[in-house]
Amino acid sequence: MILHSSKMEDHLTSNFGGRVRTRACGILVNEKGILLVKHIGIGELNLLWAPPGGEVKFGESISECLIREFQEETGLKIKIESFVTINEFIQAPFHAIELFFLVKELEGNLIKGSDPELKNDEQIIDDVRFVTFKELEIMPNEVKHELLKKVKSMDDLLSIKTSMIKFQ
């Protein structure tokens, strides 16, 4: 079941809005492309492609969070290789500090996972797959995570070593 747009907004706001969230996100790239999760009900077009990741729980380390989130959303077990960048997202009622890491796949079968915080009929994960850099390049910016908007190759991705936070 897909929630109606206004009901989806209310649902997302009550679960994820009104507070600053710290998120750990993983960038997994192989010969097939970059692993992305397609979320529905998010973004300008109610659609957002983003690297797997999620909120750090109280008492959980960032690495524990990223490993858990990857398993929940993709079915894959990973190893964290290196820190890439930080992104700050502010769009009322949402505010998130996102930490991005390069990760390596260890084992598992790629699946469309779920968000344990959400009920079965409220899930926002619509697809999980490797997207080629060519596909990413022609995807409208409105459906891509901010991190991905200028990425056209693995080199572009690896060159994002500086903070994406916009200082005023």
Side-chain angles (χ1 to χ4, degrees):
M1 173 181 148
I2 297 176
L3 298 174
H4 182 269
S5 184
S6 64
K7 188 173 181 183
M8 176 67 82
E9 287 176 29
D10 293 344
H11 169 71
L12 293 173
T13 298
S14 66
N15 279 283
F16 305 116
R19 60 194 166 92
V20 178
R21 300 170 57 227
T22 302
R23 300 183 73 248
C25 307
I27 299 169
L28 174 60
V29 179
N30 66 20
E31 67 283 348
K32 298 176 206 166
I34 180 171
L35 184 61
L36 297 178
V37 176
K38 178 183 173 187
H39 297 89
I40 54 173
I42 298 176
E44 295 175 42
L45 302 177
N46 287 316
L47 173 68
L48 181 70
W49 285 93
E55 185 171 5
V56 179
K57 296 178 180 178
F58 182 79
E60 179 180 53
S61 72
I62 291 168
S63 58
E64 289 169 334
C65 170
L66 185 51
I67 290 166
R68 172 184 54 77
E69 286 287 344
F70 235 88
Q71 180 78 41
E72 290 170 358
E73 293 184 4
T74 72
L76 300 177
K77 292 186 180 181
I78 55 146
K79 172 185 172 191
I80 299 169
E81 302 229 300
S82 63
F83 177 72
V84 176
T85 193
I86 183 172
N87 180 59
E88 183 174 30
F89 176 82
I90 305 174
Q91 186 177 333
F94 307 107
H95 187 173
I97 307 299
E98 301 172 312
L99 307 170
F100 286 88
F101 299 86
L102 281 179
V103 302
K104 179 180 178 181
E105 179 181 348
L106 296 178
E107 61 183 48
N109 295 312
L110 184 61
I111 61 164
K112 178 183 93 171
S114 62
D115 245 320
E117 300 90 358
L118 304 176
K119 297 176 187 173
N120 285 341
D121 64 345
E122 299 173 338
Q123 290 296 312
I124 60 174
I125 295 175
D126 187 55
D127 192 11
V128 177
R129 70 179 179 89
F130 284 94
V131 174
T132 67
F133 287 105
K134 188 70 175 163
E135 290 174 299
L136 188 61
E137 187 176 353
I138 62 174
M139 216 181 256
N141 274 342
E142 296 82 13
V143 301
K144 293 189 282 193
H145 184 282
E146 190 67 32
L147 178 83
L148 304 171
K149 289 183 179 178
K150 294 182 181 173
V151 171
K152 294 182 174 94
S153 69
M154 184 61 178
D155 288 340
D156 290 343
L157 197 56
L158 294 176
S159 70
I160 304 173
K161 291 287 184 187
T162 59
S163 170
M164 292 181 66
I165 293 179
K166 296 171 182 87
F167 296 100
Q168 297 178 355

